[in-house]
Each structure stands twice: as structure tokens, then as C-alpha cells.
């Protein structure tokens, strides 16, 4: 008789703890498979220290294969669940598809960014949910301070060294606190010509900082922020984000190149496609973390509405503390359903919270005892070391080195702005040129972010450095114009000479000399109707996906069309959840331009577009807004 098959979707706090506990309880009596887009567990509470240069990225990344030796790791994102057929469909990091059969399924997909319908936020803001976003923020803040220090114009200097953080919860407060220390250290070494200093702003509609915590801890955190010069504005948020700054709800305008979105999270929309009872976007489960009527289905973490037995009528909050303990109880109950051990109900009382404010400052209330100052800092770091499932010695070593050595303020340029869009369906994985695309993402209008870079929703190529309309992209090897840009460009310079795969519509590029033109390209033939949340005919976008834990599909230039007769069960188009930014129109495509004359003139351009212009010689292109793009110094 074959061993039972257990599939766990997601390796966040809940999924990782479930896999680790199940591996110990079953002792090779079951086949455990963990589906996750990355090969590491990310310890999110220490992510602000990565952005501030205190910790190296690998310190907060715990290897899944190294710490879960008896668990099979499958890299990919779940994009369809067939409960009746007991299968999970997923898409791998390189576009490959697969199916995982299961006898028991644990949904621990976590949460995604909460997007609000605020004009310009999706185009000009960046989230803070994964390593790529933290690395980008570190490079971006360093770059802006360096550019501001070299600027002669006071207005430009003020805009570049102004950093706006929206959301005064745990994450936003820690980002502002650590960021202010980081930029102040840079300015002490290299003062600005204009005599100005970096300015950090923390905005929230709540009446106080960290409203979830005790009021005394909230006052402690706000006092530390104001001592470091952070402009804390409660009852205020962003009304509109533009290329040059933000408009606040109080009517004031702030010139800035940096907008960090830490408003909050919502449950991963994956569970919405199951058609099961929900509670404010979370899957309803019983106190044993089992879905009623589905004995094979369990859910834990942020996607599960778990009854709080200590407070009847309420559900456990979406915190890492509860998710970590959900995982242990869920593993015990999954094992009990297989005849190993006994079931137990989830019951846990909050043990307090800790907030690291940088240096020796922190706010904590362990076991309900309010603390501040160096004592709270020691308790906070001790808690993190005890809670981390690995890398404790390396984290402690980085803390020691940061205390005795000056922090390195260098930008590596490994993650660009277009690689970490706010609406990314997978913040754990940075978008790469020619990489696969995640299903269900709405393609936003091409525009510029506050940092001066263009948005990166160009299919399979470098981000556009100029306005839409077929201009060549600056920074291509040898100054070549951008390939695979909207507007009918052909893919000619793919590595190894291969035609670009994963073009919008799933067709391979056929614009090679002597061949057919690529179909389904913007400005060419219209794409047929798509399924699975893809864009419909006429350029309209599908349901946007926000960032979060395990996702549905792979990130690339555009969604795939449905195969004939595919009909994969359980794969429903995803609707945007509460708080999403909604659909946005796609950017107009420009006339087709290429490095050389094509062998086939191809279809005529639409009537509302200008005819193709002359060929453009290779070389750099000057920006029309008189400002350098990010990374151009």
C-alpha cells in the first residue's frame, strides 16, 4: 500500500512550521511535498534591517532543503486546485507546468499587499514584502542620497532626499526608524552641498503609530521617531501619487522620488477560487484548522479564519505569532487524520509584541510588560534569535559587526525599479528580462516612477527609458533600440540567438528575417480571448494580483491563452480582492521601429497611430523631462 501524500502550499511562517512538524511526526510514513516559489523561508520581521544594511540578505533566508531534509521541495506557484480530483496545478519558475496529487492538502499561502484605489500608487510606489523589494529600497535610498549630495539645485536635492512611508504599522514604523538612521549616517560622511539633510515622513490614517499595540508602546515608538527627525503625520495619507511626488489628503504636496507602501496585507486570493465559505477573504475553518465538509483540506496562517477560543465570536489576527503556532497545531491534526497521534484545537494567547527601532532603541511588551530603551532592544533581539529556525549565529555576528564597524553604504544595482512593481504577484521573486509572467496581473500604463525610472511592464525586455511610442531603450548593449517593446518590435537579440519565448499570448517571436511577424503583439494582430485572468481582446487587463506568498503562475511578458480542450478543473479566473487597485488601461503602443529594415512589411498600423518612422541609429537617447533616469549619474 502506497504512503499517503501530503501537499503544503506555501512556506511562510505557517507552511514552514507545518512541514517541519509533519516531517518529525510522520517519520517516513507519508510523502510530504512543499510547494513554494523560492527555496527559502523568509524571516520577515528582520527585513527592515536588510534594507538598512545591517543584515545581509541570506541571514534572513533559511534554506528549505537544508532544514527540511525529509520534505520534497517543488519550486512553483499554485494556480489551480481541484478538490474533487485531489490535485494542485502549479507553474514553475521557468514556465513549466505540473500537477501534484494529494490525499491531504494544507493551504498556507499567506497574504498579499493591500492595494487601495489611489491614483498613481500602483505605478509609483514600491511594497515591502520580499527580499527583492528590500534590496531595491536599500540601493534606491543610497542612490538618492548620493545624487542629492551632488546636486546644486536645492529643489532637486530636497526631492531626492525626501522619503515617504505610508502605513504606520509594524513594518512601516521599522522601515522609517531604520531608514532615518541609515541616511543620517550617509550624510555625516558626505554632507550635501546645499546644507540640507534627509527627511523621512511616516503617514497613516490611524490616530497613532502602531494602533495594534499598547498605547504606551505606541507613544514610545513615536517619541523615538520624532527624536530622529521623522515627520510623523497621523490622520493623513496619500491622495494621489505622481512622477514628481505625492499629494496628501490634507491638500499639501510633497516632492519626493521615494514612496514606500506599507499599508497592510490581505489574504492571498488563491482561496477565493475554491468556492468555499469565507470570512473577509479568509477561508473558514474549525478550531482544528480543518475546512468543514472537506476532511482532506486544512488551512492555516493568514488565509485561514481560525476561531479564537479565548475570545468567542472572533478570529485570530493575521500575525506571524499566530501563523507560526497555527503550523504546529495543523501538522498535529493532519497527522491525526492519518492515524498518528490525536487531534487538538488551536488555543493561544498573545505573548506580546516587539518592535525594533534601530540601534539600542525598541518597544516591547513581553507577557504584557511594557518596556522601552536598551532593555527593550535586548529583549527584541533575543526574541528574534530564539524565533528564527536557522542562521542565528550569522545574524548575531552581523549585529556585532554593525555595532563596532561603520555601515557600508554602496549600491549594487542588482534589482531595478521595474523588477519589483507594487502589483507584482510574487514579491519573493524579482522580475527578470525574458522571464515568465504571472497570471492574473493587470498590465498597468507605462509611466515613470518617482525615482525617475520607467515602469517595467515591458514584455520580456529591458524597461523602457523613454516615452511610449517606439523610442529605443537607453542602456541596451551597444545602444541598440529596445526589443520586444509594445508596438510591434521584433525579438532579435535573445541570448544564444533563440527567438524570445513567452511573448504576450504565448506565441514565440517570429520576426526573424525571412519569417512571419510575431502574432498577438501589441499593435499587431489582436489577441484572442484569454482565460485564467488574462487580458481580453482589445487590450483590457485581467484581475490584478498583489504581492504575497505562493502565487498562481509565472512572471513574464503576458498571460498565456487557454489551450484547446485544456479545461483544467478548479482553475477559475481570479477576481481582485478587497482593496486592490482595480483594472488600469494599458499604455498605448507606438510605431514599430527596429535596427534594420524587416524583410516583410507586416500589417499596416492602426488608423489612430502614426505611420512607422525612419530607422534610428544606435546610440544613447536624451530624456525629454530634463532629468536623468535612475542609475544614470
Amino acid at each position: 500500500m502506497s504512503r499517503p501524500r501530503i501537499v503544503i502550499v506555501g512556506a511562510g511562517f505557517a507552511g514552514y512550521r507545518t512541514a517541519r512538524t509533519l516531517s518529525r511526526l510522520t517519520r517516513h510514513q507519508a510523502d510530504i511535498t512543499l510547494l513554494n516559489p523560492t527555496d527559502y523561508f523568509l524571516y520577515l520581521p528582520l527585513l527592515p534591517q536588510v534594507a538598512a544594511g545591517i543584515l545581509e540578505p541570506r541571514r534572513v533566508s533559511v534554506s528549505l532543503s537544508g532544514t527540511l531534509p525529509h520534505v520534497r521541495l517543488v519550486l512553483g506557484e499554485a494556480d489551480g486546485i481541484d478538490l474533487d480530483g485531489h490535485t494542485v496545478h502549479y507553474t514553475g519558475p521557468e514556465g513549466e507546468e505540473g500537477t501534484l496529487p494529494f490525499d491531504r492538502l494544507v493551504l498556507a499561502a499567506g497574504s498579499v499587499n493591500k492595494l487601495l484605489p489611489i491614483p498613481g500608487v500602483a505605478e509609483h510606489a514600491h511594497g515591502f514584502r520580499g527580499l527583492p523589494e528590500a534590496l531595491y529600497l536599500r540601493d534606491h535610498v543610497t542612490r538618492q542620497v548620493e545624487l542629492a549630495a551632488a546636486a546644486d539645485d536645492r529643489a532637486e536635492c530636497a526631492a531626492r532626499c525626501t522619503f515617504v512611508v505610508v502605513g504606520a504599522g509594524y513594518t512601516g514604523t521599522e522601515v522609517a526608524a531604520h531608514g532615518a538612521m541609515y541616511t543620517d549616517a550617509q550624510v555625516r560622511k558626505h554632507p550635501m552641498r546645499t546644507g540640507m539633510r534627509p527627511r523621512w515622513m511616516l503617514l497613516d490614517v490611524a490616530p497613532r503609530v502602531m494602533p495594534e499595540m499598547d498605547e504606551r508602546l505606541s507613544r514610545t515608538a513615536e517619541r523615538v521617531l520624532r527624536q530622529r527627525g521623522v515627520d510623523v503625520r497621523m490622520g493623513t495619507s496619500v491622495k494621489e501619487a505622481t512622477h514628481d511626488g505625492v499629494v496628501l489628503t490634507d491638500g499639501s504636496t510633497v516632492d519626493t522620488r521615494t514612496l514606500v507602501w506599507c499599508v497592510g496585507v490581505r489574504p492571498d486570493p488563491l482561496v477565493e477560487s475554491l468556492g468555499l465559505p469565507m470570512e473577509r477573504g479568509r477561508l473558514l475553518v474549525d478550531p482544528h484548522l480543518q475546512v468543514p465538509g472537506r476532511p482532506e483540506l486544512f488551512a492555516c496562517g493568514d488565509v485561514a479564519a481560525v476561531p479564537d477560543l479565548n475570545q468567542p465570536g472572533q478570529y485570530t489576527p493575521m500575525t506571524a505569532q499566530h501563523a507560526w503556532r497555527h503550523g504546529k497545531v495543523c501538522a498535529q491534526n493532519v497527522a491525526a487524520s492519518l492515524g498518528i497521534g490525536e487531534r487538538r484545537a488551536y488555543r493561544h494567547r498573545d505573548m506580546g509584541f516587539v518592535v525594533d527601532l534601530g540601534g539600542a532603541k525598541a518597544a516591547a511588551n513581553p507577557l504584557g510588560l511594557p518596556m522601552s530603551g536598551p532593555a527593550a532592544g535586548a529583549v527584541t533581539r533575543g526574541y528574534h534569535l530564539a524565533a528564527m529556525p536557522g542562521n542565528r549565529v550569522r545574524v548575531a555576528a552581523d549585529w556585532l559587526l554593525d555595532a563596532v564597524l561603520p555601515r557600508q553604504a554602496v549600491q549594487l544595482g542588482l534589482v531595478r525599479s521595474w523588477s519589483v512593481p507594487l502589483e507584482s504577484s510574487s514579491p519573493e521573486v524579482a522580475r527578470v528580462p525574458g522571464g515568465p509572467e504571472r497570471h492574473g496581473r493587470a498590465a498597468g500604463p507605462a509611466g515613470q516612477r518617482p525615482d525617475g525610472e520607467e515602469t517595467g511592464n515591458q514584455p520580456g525586455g529591458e524597461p523602457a527609458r523613454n516615452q511610449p511610442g517606439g523610442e529605443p531603450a537607453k542602456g541596451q548593449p551597444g545602444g541598440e533600440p529596445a526589443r520586444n517593446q509594445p508596438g510591434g518590435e521584433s525579438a532579435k537579440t535573445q541570448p544564444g540567438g533563440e527567438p524570445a519565448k513567452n511573448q504576450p499570448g504565448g506565441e514565440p517571436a517570429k520576426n526573424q528575417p525571412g519569417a512571419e511577424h510575431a502574432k498577438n503583439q501589441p499593435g499587431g494582430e489582436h489577441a484572442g480571448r484569454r482565460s485564467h485572468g488574462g487580458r481580453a481582446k482589445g487590450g483590457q487587463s485581467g484581475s490584478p494580483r498583489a504581492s504575497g506568498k505562493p502565487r498562481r503562475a509565472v512572471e513574464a511578458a503576458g498571460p498565456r491563452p487557454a489551450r484547446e480542450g485544456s479545461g483544467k478543473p478548479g482553475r477559475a479566473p481570479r477576481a481582485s480582492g478587497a482593496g486592490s487597485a482595480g483594472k488600469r488601461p494599458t499604455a498605448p503602443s507606438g510605431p514599430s521601429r527596429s535596427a534594420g529594415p524587416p524583410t516583410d512589411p507586416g500589417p499596416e498600423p492602426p488608423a489612430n497611430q502614426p505611420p512607422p518612422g525612419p530607422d534610428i541609429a544606435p546610440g544613447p537617447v536624451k530624456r525629454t523631462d530634463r532629468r536623468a533616469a535612475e542609475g544614470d549619474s
Side-chain angles (χ1 to χ4, degrees), residues 66 106 117 145 215 261 276 303 313 365 382 397 435 454 463 467 472 515 518 591 612:
V106 178
V145 172
E215 188 172 354
W261 191 255
L276 297 174
V303 298
N365 61 344
E454 300 288 342
Q467 301 299 326

Side-chain angles (χ1 to χ4, degrees), residues 54-145:
I54 299 175
L55 297 177
E56 290 302 315
R58 286 185 296 177
R59 304 297 185 256
V60 298
S61 308
V62 179
S63 171
L64 296 178
S65 57
T67 56
L68 302 173
H70 304 301
V71 176
R72 175 195 174 202
L73 173 63
V74 175
L75 294 180
E77 299 185 2
D79 54 15
I81 298 175
D82 182 4
L83 294 178
D84 296 329
H86 285 209
T87 57
V88 176
H89 185 274
Y90 70 93
T91 307
E94 296 182 354
E96 69 279 10
E97 297 184 355
T99 301
L100 297 175
F102 64 84
D103 298 304
R104 298 290 185 274
L105 176 63
V106 178
L107 292 179
S111 55
V112 298
N113 278 332
K114 181 189 294 183
L115 299 181
L116 303 179
I118 300 176
V121 165
E123 294 84 6
H124 303 290
H126 287 284
F128 199 79
R129 294 284 298 168
L131 271 180
E133 293 172 324
L135 292 176
Y136 165 75
L137 183 62
R138 177 178 173 178
D139 276 4
H140 171 74
V141 169
T142 305
R143 181 184 303 114
Q144 295 307 310
V145 172

Side-chain angles (χ1 to χ4, degrees), residues 63-280:
S63 171
L64 296 178
S65 57
T67 56
L68 302 173
H70 304 301
V71 176
R72 175 195 174 202
L73 173 63
V74 175
L75 294 180
E77 299 185 2
D79 54 15
I81 298 175
D82 182 4
L83 294 178
D84 296 329
H86 285 209
T87 57
V88 176
H89 185 274
Y90 70 93
T91 307
E94 296 182 354
E96 69 279 10
E97 297 184 355
T99 301
L100 297 175
F102 64 84
D103 298 304
R104 298 290 185 274
L105 176 63
V106 178
L107 292 179
S111 55
V112 298
N113 278 332
K114 181 189 294 183
L115 299 181
L116 303 179
I118 300 176
V121 165
E123 294 84 6
H124 303 290
H126 287 284
F128 199 79
R129 294 284 298 168
L131 271 180
E133 293 172 324
L135 292 176
Y136 165 75
L137 183 62
R138 177 178 173 178
D139 276 4
H140 171 74
V141 169
T142 305
R143 181 184 303 114
Q144 295 307 310
V145 172
E146 291 171 349
L147 293 176
D152 295 322
D153 181 64
R154 290 186 61 86
E156 179 184 356
C157 179
R160 290 195 178 278
C161 64
T162 299
F163 309 95
V164 178
V165 180
V166 184
Y170 302 109
T171 302
T173 300
E174 290 186 342
V175 168
H178 284 280
M181 291 186 64
Y182 181 61
T183 53
D184 285 346
Q186 284 186 267
V187 173
R188 281 196 296 268
K189 296 179 182 178
H190 304 286
M192 299 183 182
R193 294 184 181 182
T194 57
M196 304 184 68
R197 297 188 63 82
R199 175 192 181 194
W200 284 80
M201 296 183 64
L202 182 62
L203 313 176
D204 203 309
V205 294
R208 58 187 175 90
V209 173
M210 295 187 299
E212 306 90 348
M213 296 188 68
D214 182 84
E215 188 172 354
R216 287 173 293 183
L217 298 181
S218 177
R219 289 197 299 266
T220 298
E222 183 172 349
R223 183 174 64 254
V224 172
L225 291 173
R226 294 190 184 278
Q227 288 174 352
R228 292 178 182 170
V230 178
D231 185 0
V232 181
R233 298 191 184 184
M234 295 293 98
T236 307
S237 187
V238 173
K239 181 179 180 180
E240 181 182 0
T242 65
H243 167 62
D244 296 317
V246 293
V247 179
L248 305 185
T249 53
D250 60 5
S252 60
T253 300
V254 178
D255 293 336
T256 181
R257 301 292 186 270
T258 308
L259 181 59
V260 186
W261 191 255
C262 303
V263 169
V265 295
R266 62 188 179 92
D268 192 295
L270 171 65
V271 296
E272 297 177 0
S273 64
L274 300 178
L276 297 174
M278 310 286 290
E279 170 63 29
R280 301 184 65 178

Side-chain angles (χ1 to χ4, degrees), residues 472-486:
K474 187 177 180 180
Q476 298 288 339
E480 292 293 331
R483 312 295 185 186
N484 299 322
Q485 302 292 338

